[in-house]
Amino acid sequence: MSEQQIVYSFAWFQPEEWQKLKETVEDPETLDDTYQEWRHNAETVIKELRTDGHQVKKISIKISKLLNWCDSKGLKPNSKARSEYAAFLAEQRSK
């Protein structure tokens, strides 16, 4: 019997959403200063995970939808909520 492979859901932001993300989240200090820095670091982490044999899916996040989801769940839009939202979207898309 083989083990089921874990798929990592990686919140992925578009350049035009980056400033809005930084302005609306509770923890902007946890984010890179620029979109270019964030994208470089994100690609590095994804490459490392894939090199280690993990499956990674980039989950495109719209900030307005993230904020609505956080409001509906009573969550503050922080890194934990962003991760939970990416996992939620991945699950919804796999149905």
Side-chain angles (χ1 to χ4, degrees):
M1 185 179 203
S2 66
E3 285 186 41
Q4 183 176 0
Q5 173 138 9
I6 296 172
V7 178
Y8 291 88
S9 302
F10 203 97
W12 196 256
F13 303 99
Q14 299 304 314
E16 63 275 8
E17 295 272 303
W18 185 251
Q19 192 58 40
K20 186 174 182 181
L21 174 69
K22 290 196 57 104
E23 292 170 356
T24 57
V25 296
E26 183 180 81
D27 55 352
E29 71 282 353
T30 65
L31 299 170
D32 292 304
D33 290 335
T34 66
Y35 178 80
Q36 291 76 15
E37 280 181 87
W38 170 80
R39 183 165 179 155
H40 172 77
N41 292 332
E43 292 284 3
T44 299
V45 169
I46 290 170
K47 183 178 179 182
E48 288 171 2
L49 286 168
R50 289 180 173 158
T51 298
D52 289 342
H54 300 291
Q55 187 176 357
V56 180
K57 286 189 178 180
K58 294 177 184 176
I59 306 297
S60 185
I61 304 290
K62 295 284 185 200
I63 305 309
S64 60
K65 291 183 179 185
L66 166 67
L67 295 174
N68 288 339
W69 183 84
C70 286
D71 282 344
S72 75
K73 301 288 183 187
L75 300 172
K76 295 183 181 200
N78 56 27
S79 62
K80 185 174 188 284
R82 292 190 296 274
S83 295
E84 289 178 20
Y85 183 61
F88 166 77
L89 288 180
E91 183 178 327
Q92 294 299 305
R93 293 174 186 173
S94 68
K95 290 182 178 181

